Amino acid sequence: MSSSRLELLDKVLTEQIIGVVREESVEAAEAVADAYATNGIRIVEITLTTPDAFELIAKLAERYGELGVTLAAGTVRSTNDAAAARRAGAQVIVSPHTDVRVIEYATENDLLCVAGASTPTEIVRAWEAGCDVVKVYPALHLGGPEYIRTIRGPIRDVPMLAGGPVSLDMIENYLDAGCVAVNLGGSLAVPDLVQTQQWEEIGRRALLAASIIKSRRDLAEADSYVH
C-alpha cells in the first residue's frame, strides 16, 4: 500500500521512531525487522549495508505492508540505490549525507527523503536541496540534545531527526530539544542480544520505545483537552 510523501511525512511526525536494521547476516536482519514490526515500530529502515537488503525490503514490504508498516531504505548513496529500493517497496529514502540527485529522485517518485547533515550550513543546504527531513548525524557525537536545542534557535523551520546512536533513555530528550523523530538501531537490536538471538528481548525494547511515544502523545492530547 503506497502513501504520498505528505502522508509519509505525517507518519514520521506521528510515529517519531524509525527502527533501523543494520546487521551482518540476512537472517539476523530479518529477525530484528520482525521484532520491530510486531512490537509497535511502524517505520522500519533496512540499511543497504545489510546483505541482500533489496530482497529483504521486498519480503518485509509484502509481509507487513497491509499491517501499516512502512519500509525505509537506509545508507542510500546513489540514485541507482534509490531506484532499486523503490522497486523493492521502500517508500522512504534515508542517506547518511546530502546528495542532491538522490533528493531529486525521491521527490520525483513521491518518496519521503531523509538526508544526513551535521553542521548548520549542511542542515540548511540539505533542506534547501528539497529533502523532507534532515537527519542530524551522528547526533550523539555532535553534542546530543543540547546541540539540537542550540541550532534549533536560528534554524526553526527545518524538521530534524536525531541520527543514531540514540539510547532509549534519550528519546524524550531529543524530542524535547526539537527533533521530530529519532533513529533507533543499536539501542533496540543490542549487538549482544542479536548474537545470542534474543529476538523477544529486542521486541520488548521496541515495545518500550513505542510506548514512550504513545505516553507522550496521550499526555499531549490530554493537555490540549484540558486547555
Side-chain angles (χ1 to χ4, degrees):
M1 193 173 68
S2 189
S3 303
S4 70
R5 264 174 76 206
L6 207 56
E7 289 169 329
L8 292 165
L9 179 59
D10 192 49
K11 185 166 188 173
V12 170
L13 301 182
T14 302
E15 296 295 332
Q16 298 191 300
I17 290 173
I18 296 180
V20 182
V21 180
R22 186 188 297 278
E23 302 303 336
E24 298 302 317
S25 75
V26 70
E27 294 78 17
E30 186 173 349
V32 168
D34 285 337
Y36 289 176
T38 55
N39 286 283
I41 305 290
R42 317 311 292 158
I43 306 168
V44 176
E45 174 187 328
I46 308 298
T47 62
L48 300 191
T49 53
T50 304
D52 301 329
F54 299 119
E55 291 86 344
L56 182 57
I57 289 169
K59 187 189 281 190
L60 295 167
E62 197 173 321
R63 187 179 299 167
Y64 295 114
E66 293 299 313
L67 301 173
V69 175
T70 297
L71 270 297
T75 326
V76 176
R77 291 173 50 183
S78 69
T79 51
N80 284 349
D81 284 347
R86 174 175 167 253
R87 284 194 297 271
Q91 296 185 67
V92 182
I93 300 296
V94 185
S95 301
H97 66 320
T98 298
D99 184 316
V100 176
R101 289 161 304 182
V102 170
I103 294 171
E104 285 172 351
Y105 178 87
T107 52
E108 282 165 13
N109 290 279
D110 213 22
L111 304 170
L112 189 79
C113 184
V114 181
S118 299
T119 66
T121 300
E122 290 172 356
I123 290 165
V124 172
R125 281 192 180 151
W127 178 243
E128 289 179 348
C131 73
D132 300 290
V133 178
V134 177
K135 177 172 79 169
V136 182
Y137 173 79
L140 173 66
H141 302 295
L142 291 165
E146 280 311 308
Y147 181 71
I148 303 289
R149 189 172 280 109
T150 303
I151 58 176
R152 292 281 308 159
I155 310 173
R156 298 182 182 202
D157 58 331
V158 179
M160 297 180 198
L161 176 148
V166 173
S167 59
L168 293 180
D169 61 353
M170 291 301 282
I171 294 173
E172 296 203 83
N173 301 52
Y174 278 107
L175 297 176
D176 289 342
C179 284
V180 298
V182 295
N183 260 1
L184 297 180
S187 58
L188 300 179
V190 180
D192 285 355
L193 296 178
V194 174
Q195 212 169 356
T196 51
Q197 301 186 359
Q198 294 186 55
W199 314 126
E200 276 187 25
E201 178 58 22
I202 291 169
R204 193 191 67 78
R205 295 177 77 85
L207 200 58
L208 175 62
S211 70
I212 290 170
I213 302 300
K214 187 180 183 306
S215 299
R216 285 175 66 89
R217 199 182 304 137
D218 292 347
L219 201 61
E221 283 172 9
D223 201 37
S224 64
Y225 181 72
V226 169
H227 292 301

